[in-house]
Amino acid sequence: PAAESGLRLCLPIALVAAIGWIDDHRGLAARWRLLAHALAAGILLVAFRSDLSERAGDWLAFTGGEP
């Protein structure tokens, strides 16, 4: 599980790093940076969706809500 989590983080981190590098070296419009960051966030959400749904159930149970 720890190795899987590390692998799940590689693509979004690499995407954000690449966009930052391109922006630093030749300039990039804000819309492309925003798109890349939104894509990276989406990749993270999809990659960790099962973890998020399990934790949401735990949180609801903790707060007294229905899981």
Side-chain angles (χ1 to χ4, degrees), residues 2-4 6-10 13 15 17 20 22 36 40-43 45-47 50-51 54 57 61-62 64 66:
E4 285 181 19
L7 290 174
R8 292 182 204 176
L9 290 174
C10 286
I13 289 172
L15 177 61
I22 291 169
I43 292 169
L45 287 175
V46 168
S50 62
D51 294 339
E54 289 174 12
F62 174 73
E66 293 293 324

Side-chain angles (χ1 to χ4, degrees), residues 8-9 11-13 15-16 33-49 52:
R8 292 182 204 176
L9 290 174
L11 181 60
I13 289 172
L15 177 61
V16 170
R33 292 191 314 265
L34 180 62
L35 178 65
H37 283 83
L39 181 60
I43 292 169
L44 282 175
L45 287 175
V46 168
F48 289 104
R49 72 176 174 245
L52 292 174

